[in-house]
Each structure stands twice: as C-alpha cells, then as structure tokens.
Amino acid sequence: MPDSSKAFIACAGSGQVASVDLKSDKLLALLDVGKTPVHLALKPDGGELMVSNFDSDSISIIETGTNEVGGSFLIGSHPARGMVTADNSRLYVSNFGSNTVGVYDIDIGKIVATLPVGNHPDGLALSQSQNYLLVLNSASGDVTVIQKRTPKKKFEPGEYSLLTMIPVGVQPNNIVVKSFVAKSAK
C-alpha cells in the first residue's frame, strides 16, 4: 500500500493472495483468486490490486481496504503481468499464451482491446507520458512499442496502433523506463 501499512503476496501454489498488516506483523487474510497468481499490479491510488492468474486465464480484482475479492474476469491465455495507468483507468495485461496484450477498462469493467504483439509477451512498461506501451516478448526476443492516441477523424485507426518492434536479445522478461527531463538553456 502507498502508506506502507499492508503488503500483498501472490501465493501461486495455493491460488491465493495473502494480505499482511505490516504494523502488527500479522496475516490479515488469505484471499482465493484464480489458479497460479503470478503477478500483482496495484492501482496508483492504492484502492484495488489486480492479480494475473496464469493458469485461470483471468485477472482478479482485490479491494485493498476491505481485503475482499471484488471479482474475476477472463482476460486472455496465460496472463503473466499487469500494469495500471497513472490515472487508474486502464489495466494492460500481457497474455503469454496468446501473444497479445489485453486492455481492460477498470471503470466500465470490461476488455476494450486486444493487441497483437510478439511471441510470449511478459514484462510491460509505460512511458512517462503514458502514450507508449512497451511489451517484452520473451520467445521472439524483442520489444513491441504500441502507441496510444486519440483519433481525430472518423476514419482514423483506433486508439492503439503498433509503432515498431525492436530486437533486444534472448528471452527478455522485465523492463523499466527512465525518463529524462531536458533543462532549458539560460
């Protein structure tokens, strides 16, 4: 949690997520989610936790304040990782088994797009502007760059488009973006 009061732990073998109170060092709850929870993504506001259930082809949403599972939703084949946008509105999920990224709209509670990427997508990152989604593809050894934009005309392509794919090496599986700020000359 943003205030360091709780920790959540994915327990892949039992299909549960543990909630731990860090101030009293006590287990608060074992929450049943799907089979093989492998990744946790916390909304920036700390209100909900998104769980990627690899062997259930689903995500589960945990209400962090009450330690309750709010629901589970099919997202794709073998979801591996998730990433929530800074405005808490979208969840991107790498679907390792279907070579896609699922775009889940948190506010309306449904998948709004399925984006084709390389083979066995794994790690995800968003640019600081949130306009570029970077997807590491562990089997094809590349990073897919997807651009998010607002179409201005009626017949323009949709909100997401493949920008490029860049070869990066053998079995990439994690990524971080470092943002640089240019200082103005005086």
Side-chain angles (χ1 to χ4, degrees), residues 8-11 14-18 30-43 47-64 67-76 78-84 91-93 95 104-106 109 111:
F8 292 90
I9 299 96
C11 303
S14 64
Q16 296 175 311
V17 171
L30 284 172
L31 307 168
D32 292 324
V33 291
K35 291 181 193 171
T36 322
V38 293
H39 190 259
L40 306 175
L42 185 65
K43 284 177 52 179
E48 293 174 313
L49 181 71
M50 311 301 179
V51 182
S52 297
N53 302 310
F54 192 82
D55 288 323
S56 290
D57 299 335
S58 67
I59 57 167
S60 294
I61 300 175
I62 294 174
E63 304 294 331
T64 59
N67 291 324
E68 295 177 351
V69 178
S72 292
F73 306 92
L74 293 175
I75 193 76
H78 299 304
R81 308 251 184 133
M83 169 148 295
V84 180
L91 170 68
Y92 297 106
V93 178
N95 290 310
Y104 181 82
D105 188 301
I106 296 168
I111 297 172

Side-chain angles (χ1 to χ4, degrees), residues 124-165:
L124 301 169
L126 282 165
S127 65
Q128 183 179 16
S129 67
Q130 307 274 297
N131 290 338
Y132 299 99
L133 175 65
L134 307 166
V135 183
L136 289 179
N137 305 298
S138 62
S140 53
D142 51 39
V143 60
T144 300
V145 181
I146 296 170
Q147 183 178 25
K148 182 181 184 298
R149 58 191 194 77
T150 304
K152 299 194 186 310
K153 296 179 183 173
K154 186 175 183 176
F155 296 107
E156 276 189 335
E159 183 178 11
Y160 297 97
S161 61
L162 172 66
L163 188 60
T164 191
M165 293 179 83

Side-chain angles (χ1 to χ4, degrees), residues 157-180:
E159 183 178 11
Y160 297 97
S161 61
L162 172 66
L163 188 60
T164 191
M165 293 179 83
I166 305 165
V168 293
V170 179
Q171 293 183 321
N173 65 5
N174 213 342
I175 184 170
V176 66
V177 174
K178 179 174 178 161
S179 299
F180 294 92

